[in-house]
């Protein structure tokens, strides 16, 4: 039986053994997959597999087993390769059959030549995906995959561990933090267009993230751009994969017209490794505190909703109504589509933010402590004019170049409109504003394929912080009205807000589970809603529209979810009506 060291550090030995004992071309690959799936199903053994999300690439040996939690940023054409090949000894003429499954190059023994016309040769096909670490993944999520110090004789594992004091974001496993750590946790990096992560071509150019070319041997799988997966496979950083980037290569072969495309599709393996997939799982969320099947998670304590609402109320400077808006917003999601309508979306505009205030950044960091994916975007003129928001197809490189709005479902996009100062938007800036507006209103982004546009549908929670009412049309608008005098030092105030990690973890589980809960409505409640809407239209036809009904139905859904229920009651509907009445009354002042 292979030891831990064998299947972790030398998985190709398992592949070779299965190939040598094969009965037919399909059976041996199934045995390989079954072997590794059996290992991975054991949580303790799975945690031993190093993750590219947290382990530097140079610390992971080539041909070892790795994990990668990622978003599909682009997909390439299928790759055909010599799955089975025959080689011959140049001296003895002895013939041997080998396989290049889970490899990038044919591994021919010394002194052997490949028989290219051998009847034993078989061609295989594998899907090729360009994947990047999940855009906007928050720091507390990443801390759950930090590797502990390696155990002698075993590949570096990948389970939760305490961070060093030099790390900035909050330690997800610590039970308490001093004020110094809390202050550091609430210090946000500047969003800048001057530090793009060009090597990995990440959608968020200010983020440092890993990229990988993922090769999947299941031709029946239907992968879609922006989906999130965790792949387990054999790492390949073969130096020969970088040969095309050698300057001598161009001198010898000349520019064939396809050189730029070849270089783009085959980046240096030292920067963008290859992963040959043995097992994979499509992720419904990336919350490490929950299994992928959230329906198996017990209901949260009944007090969690009130505790979370109190925490958000403090973050909104004592504004209880704004806190309720934010809680509803955090629990909302697009659960279906009807024509061009994204049913379930609840974009939020919080106005009344003082100009030149640190509040937007501090508020964003509070949100980052609650959600698993968050992008804070100051809408400065530089960002609007210089950043690429909409992904576009580069036909010279034959690849999709990412944009800021290429986010996976369940992401939280916080737009700081207070950063937009007087000045001129160029044509790119106008295009970017239009793209943001489309995402906010329809939850889609029209990717630019130069000769045409292709709509990609998203589920991104959009919130806009602004001084006056936002120029972006949001579903819900609330003016921030502090319930107590605004502290002179907002940084110190926000640093004092963070509860113990065990409390934060309850909030995190509650929000993830609440967004994904199934939902239904009793017939008598549906009839009550219809009667109310008819009455409103009769009394004030000009100010009551189908959009108002949609907003209230979404609020009813999230109100139900906030209470941990999956069926709307008359009481929930009553709460929603009172909430919306209070909100409208405030907006009149």
């Amino acid at each position: 039986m292979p030891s831990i060291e064998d299947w972790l550090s030398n998985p190709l030995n398992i592949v070779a053994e299965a190939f040598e004992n094969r009965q037919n071309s399909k059976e041996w690959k199934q045995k390989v997959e079954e072997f590794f799936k059996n290992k991975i199903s054991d949580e303790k053994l799975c945690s031993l597999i190093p993750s590219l999300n947290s382990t530097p690439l140079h610390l992971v040996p080539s041909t070892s087993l790795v994990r990668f939690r990622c978003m599909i940023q682009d997909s390439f054409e299928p790759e055909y390769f010599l799955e089975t090949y025959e080689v011959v000894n140049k001296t003895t003429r002895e013939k041997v059959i080998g396989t290049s499954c889970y490899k990038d190059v044919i591994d021919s023994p010394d002194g052997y030549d490949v028989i290219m016309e051998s009847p034993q040769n078989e061609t295989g096909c594998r899907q090729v995906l360009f994947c990047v670490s999940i855009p906007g993944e928050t720091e507390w999520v990443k801390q759950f995959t930090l590797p502990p110090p390696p155990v002698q004789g075993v590949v570096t594992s990948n389970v939760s561990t305490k961070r060093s004091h030099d790390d900035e974001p909050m330690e997800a496993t610590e039970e308490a933090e001093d004020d110094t750590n809390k202050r550091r946790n609430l210090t946000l990096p500047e969003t800048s267009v001057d530090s793009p992560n060009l090597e990995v071509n990440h959608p968020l150019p200010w983020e440092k993230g890993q990229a990988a070319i993922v090769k999947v041997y299941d031709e029946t799988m239907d992968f879609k751009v922006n989906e999130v997966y965790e792949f387990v496979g054999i790492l390949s950083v073969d130096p020969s994969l970088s040969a095309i980037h050698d300057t001598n290569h161009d001198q010898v072969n000349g520019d064939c017209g396809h050189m730029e495309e070849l270089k783009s599709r085959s980046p240096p393996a030292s920067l963008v490794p290859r992963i040959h997939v043995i097992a994979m799982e499509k992720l419904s969320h990336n919350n490490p505190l929950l299994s992928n099947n959230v329906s198996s998670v017990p209901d949260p304590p009944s007090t969690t909703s009130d505790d979370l609402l109190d925490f958000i109320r403090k973050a909104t400077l004592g504004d209880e109504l704004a806190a309720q808006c934010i809680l509803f917003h955090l629990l909302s999601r697009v659960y279906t589509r009807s024509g061009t309508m994204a049913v379930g979306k609840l974009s939020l505009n919080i106005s009344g933010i003082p100009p030149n205030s640190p509040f937007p950044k501090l508020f964003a960091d509070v949100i980052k402590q609650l959600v698993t994916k968050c992008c804070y975007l100051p809408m400065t003129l530089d960002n609007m004019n210089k950043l690429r928001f909409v992904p576009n197809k580069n036909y010279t490189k034959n690849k999709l170049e990412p944009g800021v709005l290429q986010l996976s479902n369940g992401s939280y996009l916080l737009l700081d409109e207070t950063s937009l100062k007087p000045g001129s938007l160029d044509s790119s800036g106008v295009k970017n504003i239009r793209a943001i507006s489309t995402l906010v209103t329809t939850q889609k982004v029209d990717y630019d394929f130069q000769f045409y546009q292709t709509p990609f549908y998203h589920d991104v929670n959009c919130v806009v912080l602004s001084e006056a009412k936002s120029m972006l049309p949001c579903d819900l608008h609330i003016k921030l009205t502090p319930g107590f005098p605004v502290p002179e030092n907002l940084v110190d105030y926000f640093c004092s807000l963070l509860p113990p990690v065990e409390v934060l973890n309850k909030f995190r589980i509650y929000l993830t589970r609440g967004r994904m809960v199934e939902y239904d409505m009793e017939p008598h409640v549906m009839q009550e809603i219809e009667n109310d809407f008819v009455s409103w239209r009769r009394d004030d036809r000009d100010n009551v529209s189908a959009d108002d009904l949609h907003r209230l139905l979404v609020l009813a859904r999230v109100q139900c979810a906030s209470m941990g229920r999956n069926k709307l009651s008359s009481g929930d509907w009553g709460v929603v009506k009172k909430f919306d009445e209070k909100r409208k009354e405030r907006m009149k002042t």
Side-chain angles (χ1 to χ4, degrees):
M1 179 178 180
S3 66
I4 290 179
E5 292 86 345
D6 284 340
W7 67 266
L8 278 177
S9 58
N10 297 300
L12 286 177
N13 289 350
I14 309 299
V15 173
E17 182 179 346
F19 180 77
E20 290 172 5
N21 298 324
R22 70 193 182 283
Q23 299 297 320
N24 57 63
S25 59
K26 291 185 177 180
E27 171 263 349
W28 76 271
K29 284 183 283 188
Q30 291 174 349
K31 285 189 174 180
V32 170
E33 292 176 2
E34 289 171 2
F35 174 87
F36 285 103
K37 284 180 180 178
N38 182 54
K39 297 292 185 185
I40 295 168
S41 64
D42 185 316
E43 189 174 342
K44 289 183 179 180
L45 291 180
C46 186
S47 69
L48 296 174
I49 305 172
S51 169
L52 292 187
N53 298 95
S54 55
T55 307
L57 183 60
H58 68 274
L59 296 181
V60 186
S62 186
T63 73
S64 63
L65 206 62
V66 295
R67 289 186 291 164
F68 188 35
R69 186 179 64 258
C70 56
M71 183 188 81
I72 300 173
Q73 193 272 313
D74 193 10
S75 60
F76 299 158
E77 288 82 8
E79 181 178 271
Y80 294 91
F81 67 104
L82 205 56
E83 181 176 307
T84 304
Y85 58 87
E86 188 173 29
V87 294
V88 59
N89 187 297
K90 289 184 285 188
T91 303
T92 65
R93 311 310 297 172
E94 175 194 12
K95 295 181 179 179
V96 179
I97 295 176
T99 180
S100 56
C101 271
Y102 309 107
K103 304 175 187 175
D104 282 299
V105 294
I106 293 176
D107 189 15
S108 178
D110 291 340
Y112 283 77
D113 283 335
V114 178
I115 308 174
M116 298 306 299
E117 303 299 327
S118 170
Q120 300 288 344
N121 292 354
E122 295 180 359
T123 301
C125 179
R126 50 199 178 198
Q127 298 193 59
V128 184
L129 310 169
F130 187 87
C131 299
V132 295
S133 53
I134 300 173
E137 189 167 67
T138 48
E139 289 297 331
W140 71 265
V141 175
K142 296 175 183 178
Q143 304 323 305
F144 278 83
T145 53
L146 282 178
V151 179
Q152 187 174 4
V154 179
V155 175
T156 303
S157 63
N158 194 40
V159 294
S160 302
T161 182
K162 290 174 71 71
R163 305 186 74 200
S164 71
H165 293 295
D166 297 329
D167 293 325
E168 288 188 359
M170 188 171 70
E171 161 65 46
T173 56
E174 283 189 278
E175 294 183 357
E177 295 173 312
D178 58 27
D179 289 339
T180 303
N181 282 338
K182 287 183 177 179
R183 180 182 293 273
R184 187 163 58 234
N185 292 335
L186 289 164
T187 303
L188 291 173
E190 290 288 339
T191 302
S192 171
V193 298
D194 298 325
S195 57
N197 198 357
L198 297 176
E199 291 81 6
V200 300
N201 213 12
H202 198 274
L204 302 182
W206 56 87
E207 282 195 353
K208 293 182 179 179
Q210 181 62 55
I213 293 178
V214 174
K215 302 188 177 184
V216 181
Y217 290 79
D218 185 349
E219 297 175 53
T220 65
M221 287 291 295
D222 182 22
F223 296 102
K224 291 182 174 61
V225 168
N226 303 335
E227 289 182 331
V228 174
Y229 278 81
E230 181 163 60
F231 294 106
V232 177
I234 299 174
L235 181 70
S236 172
V237 288
D238 196 297
S240 64
L241 297 173
S242 305
I244 194 171
H245 293 269
D246 190 337
T247 54
N248 295 327
H249 191 280
D250 289 346
Q251 295 172 4
V252 173
N253 295 287
D255 185 359
C256 304
H258 298 294
M259 190 56 62
E260 192 170 352
E261 177 182 345
L262 291 174
K263 286 185 175 182
S264 175
R265 294 296 189 93
S266 302
S270 58
L271 294 174
V272 183
R274 281 56 165 171
I275 300 175
H276 294 263
V277 174
I278 288 177
M280 64 190 132
E281 183 177 24
K282 183 179 178 181
L283 301 181
S284 59
H285 64 83
N286 65 317
N287 189 332
L289 299 167
L290 291 168
S291 66
N292 203 30
N293 179 18
V294 296
S295 61
S296 62
V297 179
D299 291 338
S302 58
T303 58
T304 302
S305 175
D306 292 337
D307 293 342
L308 176 55
L309 192 60
D310 183 60
F311 173 58
I312 300 173
R313 181 183 59 77
K314 293 173 184 175
T316 55
L317 308 176
D319 189 338
E320 192 161 343
L321 196 58
Q324 186 68 65
C325 284
I326 293 165
L327 178 59
F328 284 162
H329 173 70
L330 286 166
L331 290 168
S332 66
R333 69 179 174 92
V334 177
Y335 57 90
T336 187
R337 288 188 176 268
S338 177
T340 59
M341 179 181 287
V343 182
K345 79 175 181 71
L346 191 67
S347 53
L348 173 63
N349 173 211
I350 304 175
S351 62
I353 309 299
N356 304 315
S357 168
F359 179 86
K361 284 186 177 182
L362 297 169
F363 177 76
D365 208 42
V366 167
I367 294 297
K368 287 182 178 182
Q369 298 294 344
L370 300 174
V371 302
T372 61
K373 293 176 279 189
C374 182
C375 171
Y376 167 62
L377 181 63
M379 295 176 66
T380 63
L381 283 173
D382 266 1
N383 283 347
M384 293 299 101
N385 289 334
K386 296 179 181 179
L387 284 175
R388 182 171 58 229
F389 279 63
V390 176
N392 72 274
K393 180 73 172 183
N394 185 321
Y395 286 96
T396 302
K397 297 180 179 180
N398 196 18
K399 69 180 297 185
L400 186 66
E401 295 181 330
V404 172
L405 298 184
Q406 189 175 9
L407 301 170
S408 61
N409 288 347
S411 297
Y412 196 96
L413 178 60
L414 199 151
L415 299 159
D416 180 6
E417 200 174 290
T418 66
S419 299
L420 188 57
K421 305 302 180 185
S424 298
L425 289 171
D426 59 21
S427 58
S428 177
V430 172
K431 178 182 175 182
N432 286 336
I433 292 289
R434 189 181 300 121
I436 293 173
S437 180
T438 301
L439 176 64
V440 169
T441 55
T442 66
Q443 284 294 300
K444 77 178 178 73
V445 179
D446 294 318
Y447 289 19
D448 184 2
F449 281 73
Q450 295 187 25
F451 308 109
Y452 58 93
Q453 292 184 329
T454 299
F456 280 74
Y457 296 102
H458 291 259
D459 176 17
V460 175
N461 289 55
C462 299
V463 61
V464 186
L465 301 182
S466 59
E467 296 175 41
K469 184 178 181 180
S470 173
M471 61 181 172
L472 299 170
C474 294
D475 300 308
L476 205 59
H477 177 208
I478 188 72
K479 182 179 179 181
L480 185 67
T481 306
F484 48 73
V486 178
E488 291 185 8
N489 191 321
L490 280 178
V491 173
D492 284 346
Y493 172 74
F494 272 84
C495 285
S496 69
L497 297 185
L498 293 180
V501 171
E502 61 267 21
V503 175
L504 279 173
N505 285 343
K506 289 179 183 178
F507 295 163
R508 294 158 177 170
I509 292 172
Y510 167 85
L511 288 173
T512 300
R513 191 180 184 280
R515 290 189 81 250
M516 304 180 71
V517 71
E518 295 298 324
Y519 175 75
D520 198 3
M521 189 186 302
E522 297 287 358
H524 72 276
V525 180
M526 187 179 297
Q527 186 61 54
E528 181 181 348
I529 294 173
E530 290 178 4
N531 293 341
D532 284 340
F533 182 65
V534 170
S535 175
W536 296 332
R537 287 280 289 171
R538 184 177 59 245
D539 296 339
D540 192 4
R541 176 178 292 273
D542 293 338
N543 294 314
V544 178
S545 67
D547 289 340
D548 294 310
L549 177 62
H550 175 255
R551 182 185 69 252
L552 288 170
L553 288 173
V554 173
L555 289 172
R557 179 187 177 93
V558 293
Q559 160 62 20
C560 186
S562 73
M563 303 306 295
R565 297 194 294 266
N566 59 8
K567 282 195 176 183
L568 184 69
S569 67
S570 293
D572 291 323
W573 178 241
V575 169
V576 165
K577 288 192 293 183
K578 288 180 181 178
F579 161 79
D580 209 46
E581 286 171 5
K582 289 180 181 179
R583 184 187 65 84
K584 287 180 177 178
E585 282 299 317
R586 176 181 294 186
M587 303 317 297
K588 292 178 182 178
T589 59

